[in-house]
Amino acid sequence: MDYTAPVKDMRFTLEQIAGLAELSELPGLDHADGDTVAAVLEEAAKFAGGVLAPLNRGGDQQGAKLDNGVVRTAPGFKDAYKQFCEAGWNGMPFAEEYGGGNLPWAVTMAAQEMVQSANLAFSLCPLLTQGAIDAIEAHGTEEQKKLYLPKLVSGEWTATMNLTEPHAGSDVGALKSKAVPVGDGTYKITGSKIFITYGEHDMTENIVHLVLARLPDAPAGTKGISLFIVPKFIPDADGKPGKRNDLRCVSLEHKLGIHASPTAVMSYGDNGECIGWLLGAENQGMRCMFTMMNNARLSVGCQGLAIAERAYQQALAYAEQRKQGRHPGQSADQHVSIIEHADVRRMLILMRSLTEAARGLIYLNAAAIDRAHRLPDEAKRKEWKSLVELLTPLSKAWATDIGCEVASLGVQIHGGMGFIEETGAAQYYRDARILPIYEGTNGIQAIDLVTRKLPLNGGETVKALFGQIGATVAELAKAGEGFAAIHGNLDGALKSLTKASSWMGQQLGGNVNAALSGATPYLRAFASVVGGWLLARQALAAKAEIAGGATDPYFAAKIVSARIFAEQVLTGVDGLCRAATEGSAGLAEVTPELLRA
């Protein structure tokens, strides 16, 4: 059940995929040099492994409790959160003027991965605060920034995102929550929201809720939604928590996993006195919320990566110590550790390669955010912003699917003991299952990829990415012995994906339903190719290290990981592309009547 942060792989991925040296040359990031980042990651590893990981099992068993309207977090969480904030982890990527550390998002993601691996339920609280900071910084008034950002960046206050209502689910445009202007710049908020992560807890003195609601006479659907800042305690003239606002936690959801994360049902304005402040412009709530949502989508993708890493570490440790079976030819009284069995090793190296591919994608996405924000040249910033938009649905959907798959493989390696709660393997599987649902289901991410991101900039963003992958394919062709499988399978997968992308683009011109029906396998194929590409780049870098005299077996392992991914994952890309492009006709025949037959 121990957790040791994979700092070596994190640093290698930051260097080879995120381009850490280049990031440290961006305006305002000169302090993010290699030595400083290494020190930050080592400290984060100590905190994650020493403080948060020991609370993971107990938090799952005891959970958060609602007691007379007050939510009590699991034992140890409140003190751990205090330590988390005092060490500055909450404010890593944010501006120094608000008390932040002004570190790259790529480095923040690495530290965030450690926190999430150590204790996924704990990590959800700062994740939502992080998104709210982005939303207020982007859309808030100067007064709102001055009042809320220092408290949120420090972690002194936390924040939530309130979208979902019982009748609406993912159809946010169907929400019924109301906001009525009072006439003094405030609004009376009424309505109910469900699935509100850390909507109520005992770790901070105030909670800032960002609530979607509809103004009187607003247009129907998402075009008529506005976003409001609704604090639990209304700040007084000194910016300190004052009068209690008219909002409450009605209940906590009973969930499959993440038991220590309180998921609240929230009610606003039961007594007609819930006060909110408009964030951004009227009827622009979805635009404002998507600032928060896109931040959260990358962080949730990181959670998928994190839970995969934790599941892999436990499965590896179990496979090394568990003795069962024997090799052919051995006597009946001889037994070997199950890691000696070929199929167990297959599962372990597949877990490892999937996890490393997800890490590459998440860190690349985060580094693209850094460049999109900080590059001096506006045209370059726009290019990187487009790449962020393209990579975000891949990061969120594929990495969370990987979290579930790797956690499932972890249970399989444990055998019957994986199905028993006492080993802890089942918790990772249970905790991971929410991730493909969070922040827009993975089906919604696939639709976003096909309908919005594929045609981005007239298709030039996708074309440029495919060009980079093709350049790596050409480099692999010259890499020599040991790289033939990586080269051949990445080359073939890229060709299949390019063909499928062209087909998808054509369908958007007149047969959108055909494109939508294949969106999910298409996203899987797209992300698999990107993951294989990133592993191939790391394998080439590892080859160079070995050629330079490096003897650390880690570098040989990187090459093997890329090869296994090429052989086990990239070989399936053509099938995924065929499912994406050939399955629409059959799906058209799947009627409700047929399903009930």
Side-chain angles (χ1 to χ4, degrees), residues 289-308:
M289 183 59 81
F290 267 110
T291 300
M292 186 177 191
M293 181 83 78
N294 284 330
N295 179 299
R297 283 174 172 168
L298 177 58
S299 292
V300 170
C302 190
Q303 289 182 328
L305 156 64
I307 207 73

Side-chain angles (χ1 to χ4, degrees), residues 225-383:
I225 295 174
S226 300
L227 182 61
F228 299 87
I229 299 175
V230 187
K232 176 181 175 181
F233 292 97
I234 299 172
D236 61 20
D238 297 321
K240 297 180 180 179
K243 178 184 176 182
R244 173 71 187 249
N245 212 347
D246 181 18
L247 58 88
R248 66 189 178 97
C249 172
V250 177
S251 63
L252 295 181
E253 305 290 1
H254 299 276
K255 301 168 298 190
L256 176 67
I258 55 168
H259 295 149
S261 171
T263 303
V265 176
M266 298 296 297
S267 182
Y268 295 90
D270 288 353
N271 301 307
E273 296 297 330
C274 182
I275 305 299
W277 286 261
L278 183 68
L279 178 60
E282 292 185 359
N283 301 324
Q284 293 295 312
M286 288 305 294
R287 177 173 173 267
C288 299
M289 183 59 81
F290 267 110
T291 300
M292 186 177 191
M293 181 83 78
N294 284 330
N295 179 299
R297 283 174 172 168
L298 177 58
S299 292
V300 170
C302 190
Q303 289 182 328
L305 156 64
I307 207 73
E309 175 64 39
R310 188 73 187 270
Y312 169 69
Q313 287 191 19
Q314 177 154 331
L316 176 62
Y318 184 82
E320 289 178 322
Q321 68 183 19
R322 169 63 169 162
K323 291 187 179 296
Q324 181 176 306
R326 57 188 181 273
H327 291 307
Q330 286 186 317
S331 62
D333 61 347
Q334 291 180 300
H335 299 280
V336 297
S337 297
I338 62 172
I339 200 171
E340 298 289 336
H341 300 308
D343 194 54
V344 173
R345 293 200 305 276
R346 178 193 63 82
M347 288 187 285
L348 285 168
I349 192 61
L350 182 58
M351 293 171 78
R352 176 169 174 152
S353 64
L354 286 169
T355 302
E356 291 178 351
R359 181 171 292 121
L361 175 57
I362 297 295
Y363 290 14
L364 175 64
N365 198 337
I369 292 174
D370 290 318
R371 291 179 172 91
H373 285 171
R374 295 181 181 269
L375 278 168
D377 182 80
E378 183 179 357
K380 290 293 184 183
R381 288 200 305 271
K382 288 182 178 179
E383 287 181 14

Side-chain angles (χ1 to χ4, degrees), residues 136-147:
I136 293 173
E137 188 173 22
H139 306 289
T141 65
E142 289 305 313
E143 182 180 4
Q144 288 170 341
K145 294 177 186 179
K146 182 178 178 181
L147 175 60

